[in-house]
Amino acid sequence: MNFDQWIYIVPAILISVTLHEMAHGYVSYKLGDPTPKEDGRLSLNPLRHLDPFGTLALLFVGFGWAKPVRVDASYYKDPKTGIVWTAFAGPLINFVLSFLCVLAVVALIRYSYLIPANQTITEIFHYLSELLNYTALLSLGQAIFNMIPVPPLDGSKILYGLLPDSVFQWFMRNEQFLSLFIFLLLFSNVINGPLLTLRNLIFNGMADIAFSIFF
C-alpha cells in the first residue's frame, strides 16, 4: 500500500468503524438496553470504538473489525430477535454509508463543470472525491467481512436468530477456534480474493445505480 493513500484511508476507517459500532449501540439502546450508553458507545469519538488489530487489518488488508459493543439482551422484549437486529445494524449502516459515498462521488463528477478553475478548489475537490471513494470501499469491506457467520463477527449473531438453539450452541462452544481460523485465513490472504471480488461486484452495482440517477 502506498503511504500517500493514508490521508484517505485513515479518515475513511475512522468514519466507517465509528458509524458501524454506533449503529450496534444505538439499536440495542432503542430496544431497551442502557449498556451501550453507559459504556459511552453512543459516541462519534472514534477512539471509543477502535480495536488495534482490527484497525491494522483494515489498514493493510482492507477488511477488519472494531471493538465489540457490549450489549445485554436480557433488556430486550424478544432477546433472540433483538440480538439479530442489533448485530445487523452495523453492516447495514456500512452498506448505506457506502452507497451514499458512491452517490456523492458520481454527483461530483456530474456537476464538476460548476467547480471554478482554481488550483486550491481543484485539490479540495480531488481530495473529497478520493476520500468518498475510499470510504465507500472500506465501509463495504467492513460490512461484508462482518457478515461472515463465524463468532465473534456480526454474521454469527444474525445466524443465531435463524438456527435452532442446539446448532448455535455448537458455534458458541467452538467460538475461539472458529475466530482464530477465520482471522488466519484473512491474514494469509486465502479468503481475501473472494471477499474483494464480492466487494467490487457490489461497489460496481452501486456505481451503476448512481450513474443511472445522475446521467
Coordinates of all heavy atoms in Angstrom, one line a residue, residues 11-86:
P11 N -8.9 8.5 7.6 CA -10.2 9.1 7.9 C -11.4 8.2 7.5 O -12.4 8.1 8.1 CB -10.3 10.4 7.2 CG -9.1 10.4 6.2 CD -8.1 9.4 6.8
A12 N -11.2 7.5 6.4 CA -12.2 6.6 5.9 C -12.5 5.5 6.9 O -13.6 5.1 7.2 CB -11.8 5.9 4.6
I13 N -11.4 4.9 7.5 CA -11.6 3.9 8.5 C -12.3 4.5 9.8 O -13.2 3.8 10.3 CB -10.2 3.3 8.9 CG1 -9.7 2.4 7.8 CG2 -10.3 2.5 10.2 CD1 -8.3 1.9 8.0
L14 N -11.9 5.6 10.2 CA -12.5 6.3 11.4 C -14.0 6.5 11.2 O -14.8 6.2 12.1 CB -11.8 7.6 11.7 CG -10.3 7.5 12.1 CD1 -9.8 8.9 12.3 CD2 -10.1 6.6 13.3
I15 N -14.4 6.9 10.0 CA -15.8 7.1 9.7 C -16.5 5.8 9.7 O -17.6 5.7 10.3 CB -16.0 7.9 8.4 CG1 -15.4 9.3 8.4 CG2 -17.4 7.9 8.0 CD1 -15.2 9.9 7.1
S16 N -16.0 4.8 9.0 CA -16.7 3.6 8.8 C -16.8 2.8 10.1 O -17.9 2.3 10.5 CB -15.9 2.7 7.8 OG -16.4 1.4 7.7
V17 N -15.7 2.7 10.9 CA -15.8 2.0 12.2 C -16.7 2.7 13.2 O -17.5 2.0 13.9 CB -14.3 1.9 12.7 CG1 -14.3 1.4 14.2 CG2 -13.5 0.9 11.9
T18 N -16.6 4.0 13.3 CA -17.4 4.7 14.3 C -18.9 4.5 14.0 O -19.6 4.2 14.9 CB -17.0 6.2 14.2 OG1 -15.6 6.4 14.5 CG2 -17.9 7.0 15.2
L19 N -19.3 4.7 12.8 CA -20.7 4.6 12.5 C -21.2 3.1 12.6 O -22.3 2.9 13.1 CB -21.0 5.0 11.0 CG -20.9 6.5 10.8 CD1 -21.2 6.9 9.3 CD2 -21.8 7.3 11.7
H20 N -20.3 2.2 12.3 CA -20.7 0.7 12.5 C -21.0 0.4 13.9 O -22.0 -0.2 14.2 CB -19.5 -0.1 12.0 CG -19.7 -1.6 12.1 ND1 -20.1 -2.4 11.0 CD2 -19.6 -2.4 13.2 CE1 -20.2 -3.6 11.5 NE2 -19.9 -3.7 12.7
E21 N -20.1 0.8 14.8 CA -20.2 0.5 16.2 C -21.3 1.3 16.9 O -22.1 0.8 17.7 CB -18.9 0.6 17.0 CG -17.8 -0.3 16.5 CD -18.2 -1.8 16.6 OE1 -18.9 -2.2 17.5 OE2 -17.9 -2.5 15.7
M22 N -21.4 2.5 16.5 CA -22.5 3.4 17.0 C -23.9 2.8 16.6 O -24.8 2.8 17.5 CB -22.4 4.8 16.4 CG -22.2 5.9 17.5 SD -22.3 7.5 16.7 CE -24.1 7.7 16.8
A23 N -24.0 2.2 15.4 CA -25.3 1.6 15.0 C -25.6 0.5 15.9 O -26.8 0.3 16.3 CB -25.2 1.2 13.5
H24 N -24.7 -0.4 16.2 CA -24.9 -1.5 17.1 C -25.5 -1.0 18.4 O -26.5 -1.4 19.0 CB -23.6 -2.3 17.4 CG -23.2 -3.2 16.3 ND1 -24.0 -4.0 15.6 CD2 -21.9 -3.4 15.8 CE1 -23.3 -4.7 14.7 NE2 -22.0 -4.3 14.8
G25 N -24.7 0.0 19.0 CA -25.1 0.5 20.3 C -26.5 1.2 20.3 O -27.3 1.0 21.2
Y26 N -26.7 2.0 19.2 CA -28.0 2.7 19.2 C -29.2 1.8 19.1 O -30.2 2.0 19.8 CB -27.9 3.7 18.0 CG -29.2 4.5 17.8 CD1 -29.4 5.6 18.7 CD2 -30.2 4.2 16.9 CE1 -30.6 6.4 18.6 CE2 -31.3 5.0 16.8 CZ -31.5 6.1 17.6 OH -32.7 6.8 17.5
V27 N -29.1 0.8 18.2 CA -30.2 -0.2 18.1 C -30.5 -0.9 19.4 O -31.6 -1.0 19.9 CB -30.0 -1.1 17.0 CG1 -31.0 -2.3 17.0 CG2 -30.0 -0.4 15.6
S28 N -29.4 -1.3 20.1 CA -29.5 -2.0 21.4 C -30.2 -1.1 22.4 O -31.0 -1.5 23.2 CB -28.2 -2.5 21.9 OG -28.3 -3.3 23.0
Y29 N -29.7 0.2 22.4 CA -30.3 1.2 23.3 C -31.7 1.4 23.1 O -32.5 1.5 24.0 CB -29.5 2.5 23.2 CG -30.0 3.6 24.0 CD1 -29.8 3.6 25.4 CD2 -30.6 4.7 23.4 CE1 -30.3 4.7 26.2 CE2 -31.1 5.8 24.2 CZ -30.9 5.7 25.5 OH -31.4 6.8 26.3
K30 N -32.1 1.5 21.8 CA -33.5 1.7 21.4 C -34.4 0.5 21.8 O -35.6 0.7 22.0 CB -33.7 2.1 20.0 CG -33.0 3.4 19.6 CD -33.6 4.6 20.3 CE -35.0 4.9 19.9 NZ -35.5 6.2 20.5
L31 N -33.8 -0.6 21.9 CA -34.5 -1.9 22.2 C -34.6 -2.0 23.8 O -35.1 -3.0 24.3 CB -33.9 -3.1 21.6 CG -34.0 -3.2 20.1 CD1 -33.2 -4.4 19.6 CD2 -35.5 -3.4 19.7
G32 N -34.1 -1.0 24.5 CA -34.2 -1.0 25.9 C -33.0 -1.3 26.7 O -33.0 -1.3 28.0
D33 N -31.9 -1.5 26.1 CA -30.6 -1.8 26.8 C -29.8 -0.6 27.0 O -29.3 0.1 26.1 CB -29.8 -2.8 25.9 CG -28.4 -3.1 26.5 OD1 -28.2 -2.9 27.7 OD2 -27.6 -3.6 25.7
P34 N -29.6 -0.2 28.3 CA -28.8 1.0 28.6 C -27.3 0.8 28.6 O -26.6 1.8 28.7 CB -29.3 1.3 30.1 CG -29.5 0.0 30.7 CD -30.1 -0.9 29.5
T35 N -26.9 -0.4 28.4 CA -25.4 -0.7 28.5 C -24.6 0.1 27.5 O -23.5 0.7 27.9 CB -25.2 -2.2 28.2 OG1 -26.1 -3.0 29.1 CG2 -23.8 -2.6 28.6
P36 N -24.9 0.2 26.2 CA -24.1 0.9 25.3 C -23.9 2.4 25.7 O -22.8 3.0 25.6 CB -24.8 0.8 23.9 CG -25.6 -0.4 24.0 CD -26.0 -0.5 25.5
K37 N -25.0 3.0 26.2 CA -24.9 4.4 26.6 C -24.0 4.5 27.8 O -23.2 5.4 27.9 CB -26.3 5.0 26.9 CG -26.3 6.4 27.3 CD -27.7 7.0 27.4 CE -27.7 8.5 27.7 NZ -29.1 9.0 27.9
E38 N -24.2 3.6 28.8 CA -23.4 3.6 30.0 C -21.9 3.4 29.7 O -21.0 4.0 30.4 CB -23.8 2.5 31.0 CG -25.2 2.8 31.5 CD -25.8 1.6 32.3 OE1 -25.1 0.5 32.3 OE2 -26.9 1.7 32.9
D39 N -21.6 2.7 28.6 CA -20.2 2.4 28.2 C -19.6 3.5 27.3 O -18.5 3.4 26.9 CB -20.1 1.1 27.5 CG -20.3 -0.1 28.5 OD1 -20.3 0.1 29.7 OD2 -20.4 -1.3 28.0
G40 N -20.5 4.5 27.0 CA -20.0 5.6 26.1 C -19.9 5.2 24.7 O -19.1 5.8 23.9
R41 N -20.6 4.2 24.2 CA -20.5 3.7 22.9 C -21.5 4.3 21.9 O -21.5 4.0 20.7 CB -20.7 2.2 22.8 CG -19.6 1.4 23.6 CD -18.2 1.7 23.3 NE -17.9 1.4 21.9 CZ -17.5 0.2 21.5 NH1 -17.4 -0.8 22.4 NH2 -17.3 -0.1 20.2
L42 N -22.3 5.3 22.4 CA -23.2 6.0 21.5 C -22.5 7.3 21.2 O -23.1 8.4 21.3 CB -24.6 6.3 22.2 CG -25.3 5.1 22.7 CD1 -26.7 5.5 23.2 CD2 -25.5 4.1 21.6
S43 N -21.3 7.2 20.8 CA -20.4 8.4 20.6 C -19.8 8.4 19.2 O -19.6 7.4 18.6 CB -19.3 8.3 21.6 OG -18.3 9.3 21.3
L44 N -19.6 9.6 18.7 CA -18.9 9.8 17.4 C -17.4 9.9 17.6 O -16.7 10.2 16.6 CB -19.4 11.1 16.7 CG -20.9 11.0 16.1 CD1 -21.3 12.3 15.6 CD2 -20.9 9.9 15.0
N45 N -16.9 9.7 18.8 CA -15.5 9.7 19.0 C -14.9 8.3 18.6 O -15.2 7.3 19.2 CB -15.2 9.9 20.5 CG -13.7 9.9 20.8 OD1 -12.9 9.7 20.0 ND2 -13.4 10.2 22.1
P46 N -14.1 8.3 17.5 CA -13.6 7.0 17.0 C -12.7 6.2 18.1 O -12.7 5.0 18.0 CB -12.7 7.4 15.9 CG -13.1 8.8 15.5 CD -13.6 9.4 16.7
L47 N -12.1 6.9 19.0 CA -11.2 6.3 20.0 C -12.0 5.3 20.9 O -11.5 4.4 21.5 CB -10.5 7.3 20.8 CG -9.5 8.2 20.0 CD1 -8.8 9.2 21.0 CD2 -8.5 7.4 19.3
R48 N -13.3 5.6 21.0 CA -14.2 4.7 21.8 C -14.5 3.4 21.1 O -15.0 2.5 21.7 CB -15.5 5.4 22.2 CG -15.2 6.6 23.1 CD -16.6 7.2 23.6 NE -16.4 8.3 24.5 CZ -16.3 8.1 25.8 NH1 -16.3 6.9 26.4 NH2 -16.2 9.2 26.6
H49 N -14.2 3.3 19.8 CA -14.6 2.2 19.0 C -13.5 1.4 18.4 O -13.8 0.2 18.0 CB -15.6 2.6 17.9 CG -16.7 3.4 18.4 ND1 -17.8 2.9 19.2 CD2 -17.1 4.8 18.3 CE1 -18.7 3.9 19.5 NE2 -18.2 5.0 18.9
L50 N -12.3 1.9 18.3 CA -11.2 1.2 17.6 C -10.7 0.0 18.3 O -10.5 0.1 19.5 CB -10.1 2.2 17.3 CG -10.4 3.4 16.4 CD1 -9.2 4.3 16.2 CD2 -10.9 2.9 15.0
D51 N -10.4 -1.0 17.6 CA -9.7 -2.2 18.0 C -8.4 -2.2 17.4 O -8.3 -2.1 16.1 CB -10.5 -3.5 17.7 CG -9.7 -4.7 18.1 OD1 -9.9 -5.2 19.2 OD2 -9.0 -5.2 17.2
P52 N -7.3 -2.3 18.1 CA -5.9 -2.2 17.5 C -5.7 -3.2 16.3 O -5.3 -2.8 15.2 CB -5.0 -2.5 18.7 CG -5.8 -2.2 19.9 CD -7.2 -2.5 19.6
F53 N -6.0 -4.5 16.5 CA -5.8 -5.5 15.5 C -6.7 -5.3 14.3 O -6.4 -5.5 13.2 CB -5.8 -6.9 16.1 CG -4.7 -7.2 17.0 CD1 -5.0 -7.3 18.4 CD2 -3.4 -7.4 16.6 CE1 -4.0 -7.5 19.3 CE2 -2.4 -7.7 17.5 CZ -2.7 -7.7 18.8
G54 N -8.0 -5.0 14.7 CA -9.0 -4.9 13.6 C -8.7 -3.6 12.8 O -8.9 -3.7 11.5
T55 N -8.2 -2.6 13.4 CA -7.8 -1.4 12.6 C -6.6 -1.7 11.7 O -6.6 -1.2 10.6 CB -7.4 -0.2 13.6 OG1 -8.6 0.0 14.5 CG2 -7.1 1.0 12.8
L56 N -5.6 -2.4 12.2 CA -4.5 -2.8 11.4 C -4.9 -3.6 10.2 O -4.4 -3.5 9.1 CB -3.5 -3.6 12.2 CG -2.6 -2.7 13.2 CD1 -1.8 -3.7 14.1 CD2 -1.8 -1.7 12.5
A57 N -5.9 -4.5 10.4 CA -6.4 -5.3 9.3 C -7.1 -4.5 8.3 O -6.9 -4.7 7.1 CB -7.4 -6.4 9.9
L58 N -7.9 -3.5 8.7 CA -8.5 -2.6 7.8 C -7.4 -1.8 7.0 O -7.6 -1.6 5.8 CB -9.4 -1.6 8.5 CG -10.8 -2.1 8.9 CD1 -11.5 -1.2 9.9 CD2 -11.7 -2.2 7.6
L59 N -6.4 -1.4 7.7 CA -5.3 -0.6 7.0 C -4.6 -1.4 6.0 O -4.3 -0.9 4.9 CB -4.3 -0.1 8.1 CG -4.7 1.2 8.8 CD1 -3.7 1.4 10.0 CD2 -4.7 2.4 7.9
F60 N -4.2 -2.6 6.3 CA -3.3 -3.4 5.4 C -4.0 -4.4 4.6 O -3.4 -4.9 3.6 CB -2.2 -4.0 6.3 CG -1.3 -3.0 6.9 CD1 -1.4 -2.7 8.3 CD2 -0.3 -2.3 6.2 CE1 -0.6 -1.8 8.9 CE2 0.5 -1.4 6.7 CZ 0.4 -1.1 8.1
V61 N -5.2 -4.9 5.0 CA -5.9 -5.9 4.3 C -7.1 -5.4 3.6 O -7.5 -5.9 2.5 CB -6.2 -7.1 5.2 CG1 -6.8 -8.3 4.4 CG2 -5.0 -7.6 6.0
G62 N -7.7 -4.4 4.1 CA -8.9 -3.8 3.6 C -10.2 -4.4 4.2 O -11.3 -4.0 3.8
F63 N -10.1 -5.4 5.1 CA -11.2 -5.9 5.8 C -10.8 -6.0 7.3 O -9.7 -6.3 7.6 CB -11.5 -7.4 5.3 CG -11.9 -7.4 3.8 CD1 -10.9 -7.7 2.9 CD2 -13.2 -7.2 3.4 CE1 -11.2 -7.7 1.5 CE2 -13.5 -7.3 2.1 CZ -12.5 -7.5 1.1
G64 N -11.8 -5.7 8.2 CA -11.4 -5.7 9.6 C -12.6 -5.5 10.5 O -13.7 -5.7 10.1
W65 N -12.3 -5.2 11.7 CA -13.4 -5.1 12.7 C -13.0 -4.1 13.8 O -11.9 -3.5 13.8 CB -13.5 -6.5 13.4 CG -12.3 -7.0 14.1 CD1 -12.0 -6.8 15.4 CD2 -11.2 -7.6 13.5 NE1 -10.8 -7.4 15.7 CE2 -10.2 -7.9 14.6 CE3 -10.8 -8.0 12.2 CZ2 -9.0 -8.5 14.3 CZ3 -9.6 -8.6 12.0 CH2 -8.7 -8.9 13.1
A66 N -14.0 -3.8 14.6 CA -13.8 -2.8 15.7 C -14.0 -3.4 17.1 O -14.3 -4.6 17.1 CB -14.8 -1.6 15.5
K67 N -13.9 -2.6 18.1 CA -14.1 -3.1 19.5 C -15.6 -3.4 19.6 O -16.4 -2.5 19.4 CB -13.6 -2.1 20.5 CG -13.7 -2.6 21.9 CD -13.0 -1.6 22.9 CE -13.6 -0.2 22.8 NZ -12.9 0.7 23.8
P68 N -15.9 -4.7 20.0 CA -17.4 -5.0 20.1 C -18.1 -4.1 21.1 O -17.5 -3.8 22.1 CB -17.3 -6.5 20.5 CG -16.0 -7.0 20.1 CD -15.1 -5.8 20.3
V69 N -19.3 -3.8 20.8 CA -20.2 -3.1 21.7 C -20.8 -4.1 22.7 O -21.3 -5.1 22.3 CB -21.3 -2.3 20.9 CG1 -22.3 -1.7 21.9 CG2 -20.7 -1.2 20.0
R70 N -20.6 -3.8 24.0 CA -21.2 -4.7 25.0 C -22.7 -4.4 25.1 O -23.1 -3.3 25.2 CB -20.5 -4.4 26.3 CG -20.9 -5.4 27.4 CD -20.0 -5.1 28.6 NE -20.2 -3.9 29.2 CZ -21.1 -3.6 30.3 NH1 -21.8 -4.7 30.8 NH2 -21.2 -2.4 30.8
V71 N -23.5 -5.5 24.9 CA -24.9 -5.3 25.0 C -25.5 -6.4 26.0 O -24.8 -7.4 26.2 CB -25.6 -5.5 23.6 CG1 -25.1 -4.5 22.6 CG2 -25.4 -6.9 23.1
D72 N -26.7 -6.1 26.5 CA -27.3 -7.0 27.4 C -28.7 -7.4 26.9 O -29.6 -6.6 27.0 CB -27.4 -6.4 28.8 CG -27.9 -7.4 29.9 OD1 -28.5 -8.4 29.5 OD2 -27.7 -7.1 31.1
A73 N -28.8 -8.5 26.3 CA -30.0 -8.9 25.6 C -31.2 -9.2 26.6 O -32.3 -9.3 26.1 CB -29.8 -10.2 24.7
S74 N -30.9 -9.3 27.9 CA -32.0 -9.5 28.8 C -32.9 -8.3 28.9 O -34.0 -8.5 29.4 CB -31.4 -9.8 30.2 OG -30.7 -8.7 30.7
Y75 N -32.5 -7.2 28.4 CA -33.4 -6.0 28.4 C -34.4 -6.0 27.2 O -35.3 -5.3 27.2 CB -32.5 -4.7 28.3 CG -31.8 -4.3 29.6 CD1 -30.5 -4.6 29.8 CD2 -32.5 -3.7 30.6 CE1 -29.8 -4.3 30.9 CE2 -31.8 -3.3 31.8 CZ -30.5 -3.6 31.9 OH -29.8 -3.3 33.1
Y76 N -34.1 -6.8 26.2 CA -35.0 -6.9 25.1 C -36.3 -7.6 25.4 O -36.3 -8.6 26.1 CB -34.3 -7.6 23.9 CG -32.9 -7.0 23.5 CD1 -32.0 -7.9 22.8 CD2 -32.6 -5.7 23.7 CE1 -30.8 -7.4 22.4 CE2 -31.3 -5.3 23.4 CZ -30.4 -6.1 22.7 OH -29.2 -5.6 22.3
K77 N -37.3 -7.2 24.8 CA -38.6 -7.9 24.9 C -38.5 -9.3 24.3 O -39.0 -10.3 24.8 CB -39.7 -7.1 24.2 CG -40.1 -5.9 25.0 CD -41.3 -5.2 24.2 CE -41.7 -3.9 25.0 NZ -42.7 -3.2 24.3
D78 N -37.8 -9.4 23.2 CA -37.5 -10.7 22.5 C -36.0 -10.8 22.3 O -35.5 -10.2 21.3 CB -38.3 -10.7 21.1 CG -38.1 -12.0 20.4 OD1 -37.2 -12.8 20.8 OD2 -38.8 -12.3 19.4
P79 N -35.3 -11.4 23.2 CA -33.8 -11.4 23.1 C -33.3 -11.9 21.8 O -32.3 -11.3 21.3 CB -33.4 -12.3 24.3 CG -34.5 -12.1 25.3 CD -35.8 -12.0 24.4
K80 N -33.8 -13.0 21.3 CA -33.3 -13.6 20.1 C -33.4 -12.6 18.9 O -32.4 -12.4 18.2 CB -34.0 -14.9 19.8 CG -33.2 -15.8 18.8 CD -33.8 -17.2 18.9 CE -32.9 -18.1 18.0 NZ -33.4 -19.5 18.1
T81 N -34.6 -12.0 18.7 CA -34.8 -11.1 17.6 C -34.0 -9.8 17.8 O -33.4 -9.3 16.9 CB -36.3 -10.7 17.5 OG1 -37.0 -11.9 17.3 CG2 -36.5 -9.8 16.3
G82 N -33.9 -9.4 19.1 CA -33.1 -8.2 19.4 C -31.7 -8.3 19.1 O -31.1 -7.4 18.6
I83 N -31.1 -9.5 19.4 CA -29.7 -9.7 19.0 C -29.5 -9.6 17.5 O -28.5 -9.1 17.1 CB -29.2 -11.1 19.6 CG1 -29.1 -11.0 21.1 CG2 -27.9 -11.5 19.0 CD1 -28.8 -12.3 21.8
V84 N -30.4 -10.2 16.8 CA -30.3 -10.2 15.3 C -30.3 -8.8 14.8 O -29.4 -8.4 14.0 CB -31.4 -11.0 14.7 CG1 -31.4 -10.8 13.1 CG2 -31.3 -12.5 15.0
W85 N -31.2 -7.9 15.2 CA -31.3 -6.6 14.8 C -30.1 -5.7 15.2 O -29.6 -4.9 14.5 CB -32.6 -5.9 15.2 CG -33.8 -6.3 14.4 CD1 -34.9 -7.1 14.8 CD2 -34.0 -6.1 13.0 NE1 -35.7 -7.3 13.8 CE2 -35.3 -6.7 12.7 CE3 -33.3 -5.4 12.0 CZ2 -35.8 -6.7 11.4 CZ3 -33.8 -5.3 10.7 CH2 -35.1 -6.0 10.4
T86 N -29.7 -6.0 16.4 CA -28.5 -5.2 16.9 C -27.3 -5.6 16.1 O -26.5 -4.7 15.8 CB -28.3 -5.6 18.4 OG1 -29.4 -5.2 19.2 CG2 -27.1 -4.8 19.0

